[in-house]
């Protein structure tokens, strides 16, 4: 009796045919959907394959199993076929992670009004402390899932160069492994239906488009997981220090703000107002200094574009995990994608990024301290909390995993001291005027020599007899800043908060003092 079943994609002829493997005419090897749908049907009709799948815990005859596999297949294929499919997959993965780990943090209209009122007050306080004009702004409260949707386009742009590099490296590693197998690699143990002389390497070449799409989807899922983790921790829209929200949007995440307030044991309105000042200051800076945001994003992109993929680590990961398990493969690849030493081009980009981050966040720190010190009793405690959140925080872990980059303003304290010295020498106008053009802004070398930079900024560097006096004045200013930082104490309960009401411990007390700056934002 003739077998009227459709031939399998690899059924290229009779078993006696020694011709190398070919897909049948008209079959598109990049159409993963058609192939897997066919395989599901073939498996159910083939007792050996069916038993094999049952031994792996998958019953091809179970309608629920078929429905689940087909649903996952449709999700993948839709993402593969859509121009924005990878980004949509990243958003969906991030939202699912947030809902699974943190739950729903949707807020009410009262929270939105509280945020709008806080941003209004913050804007008035900042008007008194900076010459940068307030932009047209809109205060919004975002749930964690809404923050994911609002920021994912920018995240995707930042990591896209890495995604392309990982895709190419993964495909190269697979080709190398398949090429080493060669024709007849399975010998007598070939799976049922494979013709003699089956060449896995040739099959891989014909499947190359599909494998490229699969790699992109895997990286998109990894990005979604990372951004979802970040969404559970950030308290404002641009807390990571990059302009990842729409211009003019001053966003706070009420659910995370509430959790921060509870952990610090500081009343929520005060925490909300302090964070509103910080976010409004950063949004104002990005708006009124139009070159700053693009420079920051360009530095991240340049670092990612020049990254070197560790092909040996990828090849090792591919040989140690089950290739049919995407989650296991993604876990094996994560943290092993990048070579440990940055390239010269990356070092240049990293230097620019660290300087710009330090200047921006140092300015935000300084202006926020000036705006809140007289109004908020716990402003010093909250400033210390923010400083400690930067060290090893979610943003740093996210970029380390996705781009191999430690997103940390290492010289933030130097930058804050420099802005304070400029203000002391010439007021807010001199300080904020240095943002007018990239050539006027401090460089990494200027952070090493703040006195010289302030002398040049004030025009007093060439005046005879002024060097010593100005240097002494600035030394005094910087000394006062550092002494004030030491007196400000540390958060209540350790690194998460500060209690300004606790009495200072007398000298000679044997009790351990507050945590030091070891591992802080100046740590290597």
């Amino acid at each position: 009796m003739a077998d009227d079943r459709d031939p399998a994609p690899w059924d290229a002829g009779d078993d006696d045919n020694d011709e190398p493997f070919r897909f049948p005419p008209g079959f598109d090897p990049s159409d993963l959907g058609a192939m897997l749908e066919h395989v599901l049907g073939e498996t159910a009709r083939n007792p050996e394959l069916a038993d094999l799948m049952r031994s792996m815990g998958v019953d091809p005859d179970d309608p629920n199993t078929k429905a689940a596999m087909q649903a996952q297949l449709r999700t993948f294929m839709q993402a593969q076929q859509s121009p924005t499919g990878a980004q949509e997959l990243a958003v969906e993965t991030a939202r699912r992670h947030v809902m699974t780990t943190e739950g729903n943090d949707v807020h009410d209209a009262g929270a939105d009004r509280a945020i709008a009122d806080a941003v209004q007050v913050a804007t008035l306080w900042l008007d008194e402390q900076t010459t940068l004009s307030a932009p047209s702004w809109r205060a919004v409260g975002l749930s964690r899932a809404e923050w994911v949707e609002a920021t994912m386009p920018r995240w995707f742009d930042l990591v896209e160069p890495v995604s392309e590099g990982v895709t190419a490296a993964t495909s190269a590693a697979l080709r190398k492994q398949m090429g080493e197998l060669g024709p007849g690699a399975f010998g007598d143990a070939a799976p049922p239906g494979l013709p003699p002389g089956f060449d896995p390497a040739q099959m891989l070449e014909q499947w190359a488009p599909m494998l490229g799409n699969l790699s992109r989807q895997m990286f998109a899922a990894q990005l979604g997981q990372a951004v979802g983790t970040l969404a559970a921790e950030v308290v404002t829209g641009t807390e990571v220090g990059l302009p990842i929200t729409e211009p003019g949007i001053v966003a706070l995440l009420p659910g995370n703000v509430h959790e921060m307030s509870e952990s610090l044991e500081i009343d929520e309105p005060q925490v909300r107002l302090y964070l509103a000042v910080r976010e409004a200051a950063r949004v104002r800076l990005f708006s009124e200094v139009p070159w700053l945001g693009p420079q920051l994003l360009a530095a991240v992109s340049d670092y990612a574009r020049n990254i070197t993929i560790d092909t040996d680590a990828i090849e090792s990961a591919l040989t140690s995990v089950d290739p049919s398990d995407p989650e296991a493969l993604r876990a094996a690849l994560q943290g092993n994608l990048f070579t440990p030493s940055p390239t010269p081009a990356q070092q240049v980009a990293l230097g620019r990024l660290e300087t710009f981050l330090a200047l921006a966040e140092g300015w935000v720190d300084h202006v926020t301290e000036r705006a809140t010190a007289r109004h908020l009793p716990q402003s010093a405690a909250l400033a210390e909390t923010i400083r400690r959140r930067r060290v090893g925080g979610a943003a740093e872990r996210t970029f380390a995993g996705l781009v191999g980059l430690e997103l940390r303003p290492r010289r933030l304290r130097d930058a804050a001291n420099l802005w304070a010295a400029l203000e002391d020498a010439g007021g807010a106008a001199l300080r904020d005027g240095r943002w007018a053009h990239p050539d006027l802004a401090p460089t990494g070398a200027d952070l090493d020599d703040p006195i010289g930079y302030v002398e040049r900024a004030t025009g007093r560097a060439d005046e005879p007899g002024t060097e010593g006096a100005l240097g002494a004045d600035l030394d005094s200013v910087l000394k006062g800043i550092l002494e004030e930082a030491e007196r400000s104490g540390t958060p209540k309960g350790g690194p998460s908060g500060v209690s300004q009401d606790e009495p200072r411990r007398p000298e000679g007390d044997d009790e351990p003092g507050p945590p030091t700056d070891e591992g802080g934002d100046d740590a290597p």
Side-chain angles (χ1 to χ4, degrees):
M1 180 176 178
D3 188 350
D4 58 358
R5 292 179 298 174
D6 294 334
W10 48 75
D11 230 345
D14 297 334
D15 290 346
D16 296 334
N17 188 352
D18 291 334
E19 289 296 320
F21 166 77
R22 291 286 189 277
F23 281 106
F27 183 81
D28 181 3
S30 66
D31 189 351
L32 180 64
M35 186 193 73
L36 290 184
E37 291 282 0
H38 183 90
V39 168
L40 284 174
E42 285 294 311
T43 300
R45 290 192 293 264
N46 187 315
E48 294 181 4
L49 290 179
D51 290 341
L52 177 62
M53 291 194 70
R54 289 190 185 95
S55 69
M56 300 169 60
V58 178
D59 185 357
D61 292 323
D62 181 10
N64 294 330
T65 299
K66 287 184 177 181
M69 294 177 68
Q70 290 169 348
Q72 291 180 351
L73 176 63
R74 281 194 298 271
T75 299
F76 173 79
M77 294 305 297
Q78 289 169 0
Q80 176 178 314
Q81 294 165 0
S82 169
T84 59
Q87 182 173 316
E88 293 169 359
L89 177 61
V91 170
E92 182 59 30
T93 302
R95 288 175 58 91
R96 191 184 310 116
H97 177 79
V98 166
M99 294 301 295
T100 301
T101 60
E102 302 296 330
N104 193 343
D105 66 329
V106 175
H107 53 277
D108 57 19
D112 285 330
R113 287 193 298 271
I115 290 173
D117 292 343
V119 174
Q120 181 70 53
V121 173
T123 301
L124 296 176
W125 289 357
L126 288 170
D127 287 342
E128 299 175 353
Q129 301 299 333
T130 176
T131 61
L132 299 181
S133 301
S136 298
W137 54 268
R138 181 167 65 90
V140 297
L142 298 177
S143 67
R144 300 178 185 106
E146 289 170 338
W147 183 85
V148 165
E149 293 182 352
T151 61
M152 187 60 79
R154 188 72 76 185
W155 289 115
F156 207 83
D157 290 342
L158 289 175
V159 304
E160 190 171 18
V162 183
S163 175
E164 295 300 323
V166 171
T167 297
T170 303
S171 298
L174 284 170
R175 284 189 177 94
K176 181 180 178 181
Q177 291 183 11
M178 289 294 192
E180 291 174 351
L181 292 176
F186 295 103
D188 296 335
L194 289 184
F198 172 73
D199 188 350
Q202 190 176 36
M203 180 190 70
L204 183 66
E205 288 300 323
Q206 297 187 56
W207 282 3
M210 179 270 291
L211 292 174
N213 287 330
L214 176 61
S215 179
R216 292 186 187 92
Q217 302 310 317
M218 287 177 58
F219 196 85
Q222 184 174 331
L223 171 62
Q225 187 86 4
V227 174
T229 300
L230 192 58
E233 299 192 30
V234 294
V235 289
T236 66
T238 62
E239 185 185 351
V240 297
L242 300 174
I244 56 176
T245 58
E246 291 296 322
I249 298 296
V250 184
L252 273 68
L253 282 72
N256 293 349
V257 172
H258 175 73
E259 290 184 359
M260 173 184 278
S261 171
E262 287 192 331
S263 68
L264 298 177
E265 300 181 12
I266 299 176
D267 57 290
E268 189 170 340
Q270 187 173 177
V271 174
R272 184 190 305 115
L273 188 49
Y274 179 85
L275 295 175
V277 172
R278 287 193 63 85
E279 184 69 3
R282 195 180 292 109
V283 169
R284 183 181 297 217
L285 182 64
F286 287 144
S287 174
E288 297 305 297
V289 185
W291 59 265
L292 178 60
Q295 287 278 10
L296 283 167
L297 298 175
V300 176
S301 295
D302 289 346
Y303 188 96
R305 190 173 297 108
N306 290 285
I307 205 164
T308 302
I309 307 300
D310 192 343
T311 55
D312 291 337
I314 290 180
E315 185 176 344
S316 175
L318 290 174
T319 59
S320 61
V321 300
D322 179 3
S324 65
D325 185 352
E327 183 61 34
L329 184 58
R330 183 166 63 247
L333 290 176
Q334 190 168 10
N336 296 300
L337 296 176
F338 315 117
T339 55
S341 300
T343 64
Q346 283 183 291
Q347 290 175 341
V348 172
L350 181 59
R352 287 170 36 224
L353 177 62
E354 288 182 342
T355 297
F356 286 137
L357 272 177
L359 291 175
E361 289 300 291
W363 185 89
V364 170
D365 281 0
H366 175 68
V367 172
T368 299
E369 189 275 331
R370 300 280 292 170
T372 59
R374 293 187 298 110
H375 303 288
L376 300 179
Q378 298 288 354
S379 63
L382 291 165
E384 178 66 11
T385 298
I386 294 297
R387 187 183 73 82
R388 291 181 178 275
R389 281 168 63 89
R390 296 188 184 108
V391 182
E396 184 176 341
R397 295 195 303 271
T398 297
F399 271 84
L402 293 174
V403 193
L405 169 66
E406 290 185 359
L407 188 67
R408 184 193 304 178
R410 297 176 183 272
R411 310 199 62 185
L412 190 148
R413 180 163 295 179
D414 293 336
N417 291 342
L418 179 57
W419 294 122
L422 282 168
E423 181 179 338
D424 185 77
L430 175 65
R431 180 197 68 203
D432 297 344
R434 309 312 291 178
W435 289 115
H437 192 275
D439 293 343
L440 296 177
T443 64
D446 294 325
L447 296 179
D448 294 329
D449 181 23
I451 294 175
Y453 179 77
V454 175
E455 287 177 342
R456 293 189 296 275
T458 57
R460 298 174 65 183
D462 299 327
E463 296 180 13
T466 61
E467 295 88 344
L470 182 56
D473 289 344
L474 290 176
D475 282 341
S476 176
V477 171
L478 294 176
K479 180 180 179 181
I481 293 170
L482 293 175
E483 289 177 349
E484 178 62 27
E486 292 176 357
R487 288 196 300 267
S488 65
T490 54
K492 185 175 182 179
S496 60
V498 176
S499 176
Q500 296 297 314
D501 300 325
E502 294 178 359
R504 297 187 63 185
R505 181 171 286 113
E507 294 184 5
D509 198 324
D510 292 333
E511 291 292 326
T516 66
D517 287 332
E518 293 179 4
D521 46 50
D522 296 322

